[in-house]
Amino acid sequence: MSTPTSAAAEQVRPAPGDDSSRSGSGSRPGETALAYVLRELEELIIGETEAGDQLPAEATLAEQLGVSRLTIREGLKVLAGQGLVELSRGRRPTVRHPDSTVMSRFLSVAIRRDSRAVLELLSIRRSLEVLSAGEAAKRANRAALSGMSNALDEMQRAAEALDGSAESIARYNSADVSFHESLALASGNQMLALLLESLAESLHHSFSQSFAGFMATGGDIDDAVDEHRQIYALVAAGDAAGAERAMRRHLERTARDLQSVLRGTES
């Protein structure tokens, strides 16, 4: 009696008429059956579906791609681990909403391991957030502006409640992060918003450090809030160039604050 073919064995020795040996299967030279399935399913998910859609059943996908159901099943498990699909018994695979948690965890670990990585993060922010500010000025609607305004109001309340405690500082930094997230959403660029969302946990750490540097150098918290209000005002006025300049100035000040903290930790 023959034993079931494993997905690994199928990759190495595809049966005649199956997988990469199948004529017209679409696989590339030297490509394993699993790699082929992953590529095809990723293209299907990203190019032809939306979050919440269900993929075809395993048997249908196997027939369409010319591979075994075992290979399809293994491919779906990989994609589930990457956060692209959700698997549940008795239901077809469901496309998940974009999830930035994997990238967020990676960046957080990198920053914890090397304190100077916050400066590398700031370089990324310069590119993304200046673009975000300009795009928001061009595209922000009433709801997006309301979200930014609410974040600013929370920043003001948190600033007024600052008493030097860890809790009050964390509240202020969270409000600061929320403002930058609402700005990204106001840009109307889903990919940009997702990238900045993936930075959220790292931004909390970065903002905590820059806040310490800001206060250590005699910074006035009202000035910090005003920087954000200026960005908001320029976005609301539809002044893309002005919003970009204001964001650059804000990030330049942030860089000075971070460098001040890092010099202190190295001395």
Side-chain angles (χ1 to χ4, degrees):
M1 184 176 70
S2 62
T3 58
T5 304
S6 70
E10 187 180 22
Q11 294 172 43
V12 178
R13 297 187 301 274
D18 192 16
D19 291 352
S20 59
S21 67
R22 182 180 184 273
S23 176
S25 69
S27 61
R28 296 169 179 171
E31 186 176 51
T32 65
L34 182 59
Y36 164 61
V37 165
L38 287 172
R39 177 167 57 83
E40 290 294 317
L41 291 181
E42 286 172 350
E43 291 179 3
L44 171 64
I45 292 167
I46 295 172
E48 302 179 30
T49 67
E50 296 181 358
D53 288 351
Q54 288 188 322
L55 297 182
E58 287 181 2
T60 303
L61 289 170
E63 182 178 356
Q64 289 175 347
L65 299 181
V67 298
S68 73
R69 290 183 62 176
L70 176 61
T71 303
I72 293 294
R73 191 172 301 130
E74 291 301 311
L76 289 170
K77 287 180 181 178
V78 172
L79 296 178
Q82 294 173 349
L84 289 177
V85 298
E86 181 177 345
L87 303 179
S88 58
R89 187 178 297 276
R91 294 185 59 194
R92 287 184 291 158
T94 303
V95 178
R96 292 186 58 183
H97 289 274
D99 190 344
S100 59
T101 56
V102 175
M103 178 63 76
S104 179
R105 286 197 298 270
F106 171 82
L107 292 171
S108 297
V109 170
I111 287 176
R112 286 199 302 269
R113 292 182 63 188
D114 181 5
S115 60
R116 297 196 66 84
V118 293
L119 294 176
E120 296 179 355
L121 174 61
L122 187 61
S123 295
I124 297 172
R125 288 182 60 197
R126 281 196 181 101
S127 298
L128 296 180
E129 296 211 63
V130 169
L131 173 62
S132 181
E135 291 300 301
K138 298 174 186 175
R139 302 180 182 181
N141 55 30
R142 183 176 300 178
L145 291 174
S146 177
M148 292 179 64
S149 179
N150 290 338
L152 272 174
D153 290 343
E154 175 57 21
M155 280 189 72
Q156 184 64 58
R157 289 190 292 269
E160 293 170 355
L162 278 171
D163 58 10
S165 67
E167 292 79 8
S168 67
I169 293 172
R171 178 187 174 187
Y172 177 82
N173 287 333
S174 292
D176 196 350
V177 172
S178 293
F179 174 83
H180 289 267
E181 289 177 341
S182 65
L183 177 64
L185 290 172
S187 73
N189 186 321
Q190 183 180 6
M191 192 65 68
L192 179 59
L194 184 63
L195 284 170
L196 286 171
E197 181 188 345
S198 73
L199 299 176
E201 188 175 345
S202 301
L203 288 179
H204 277 283
H205 181 81
S206 173
F207 283 21
S208 178
Q209 287 191 295
S210 63
F211 179 84
F214 178 74
M215 299 305 290
T217 55
D220 186 330
I221 196 63
D222 290 332
D223 291 340
V225 176
D226 283 343
E227 285 183 7
H228 293 79
R229 289 201 180 280
Q230 290 169 15
I231 294 169
Y232 168 77
L234 291 163
V235 168
D239 185 349
E244 290 176 354
R245 286 194 298 271
M247 179 59 78
R248 285 194 189 94
R249 288 194 298 269
H250 171 60
L251 294 177
E252 286 167 3
R253 193 266 300 161
T254 299
R256 292 193 296 271
D257 295 338
L258 286 172
Q259 288 164 351
S260 173
V261 169
L262 291 173
R263 283 196 298 270
T265 59
E266 292 171 356
S267 61

